[in-house]
Amino acid sequence: YHDYPAGAIMLWETDASPISKALGAKVSRSANSDGKVHFVLDGQQRLTSLKLVFEGKDFKGKDLDIRFNYETEEFQLVNRAIRSDKRWVPVTDVLCRGAVEVCQQIGLLNSPNTAQILNRLNRLERIKDYLFPVYPLRGYTYEQVTEIFVRVNSKGTRLRQAELAIARLAFRLPGVVSEE
């Protein structure tokens, strides 16, 4: 929504088909026209999150209702208060049916701030146009791909909540956080 970078997808393209686990309940196993199979090495959480938001259901078929507040530009899982507040629109509806149709459905096209609301819902709808960089790994063995996977997923430094809070403080109040 804010045009922040959202990472990349790394795929392993191979003729071999090692033991693997499907992301969802209904996944068919097929190869490209050239017989190559693709496995996700990095980006599984991104792909899973996108699938859940676009379909509005989790892997067990349970509704996953994430809402967007067109006034505050916040996202939140639905609860009883949000469900009855028309300022909170279902993200899946905007992504799948479009900003104008959702605006029309909830009666916002004649609102005094229609332009602002429609602008925000159009920004939300454009999430589906985001292009993720995809890095296909071709010609690597299972052992090489395993090494790449380990390197990609072990180099990042996990930050504790306290470290994140200090980083936020340092950004908002320059000079408050010392070297120590």
Side-chain angles (χ1 to χ4, degrees), residues 66-79:
I66 300 172
R67 301 279 174 117
F68 172 74
N69 186 312
Y70 58 75
E71 287 183 358
T72 63
E73 299 179 273
E74 295 174 276
F75 293 87
Q76 189 168 321
L77 277 172
V78 77
N79 59 36

Side-chain angles (χ1 to χ4, degrees), residues 97-123:
R97 294 187 6 242
V100 174
E101 187 176 324
V102 169
C103 234
Q104 197 170 28
Q105 176 195 350
I106 56 179
L108 294 173
L109 290 180
N110 296 322
S111 170
N113 54 349
T114 297
Q116 181 185 46
I117 294 169
L118 201 50
N119 179 47
R120 289 176 177 177
L121 292 180
N122 279 324
R123 280 180 56 202

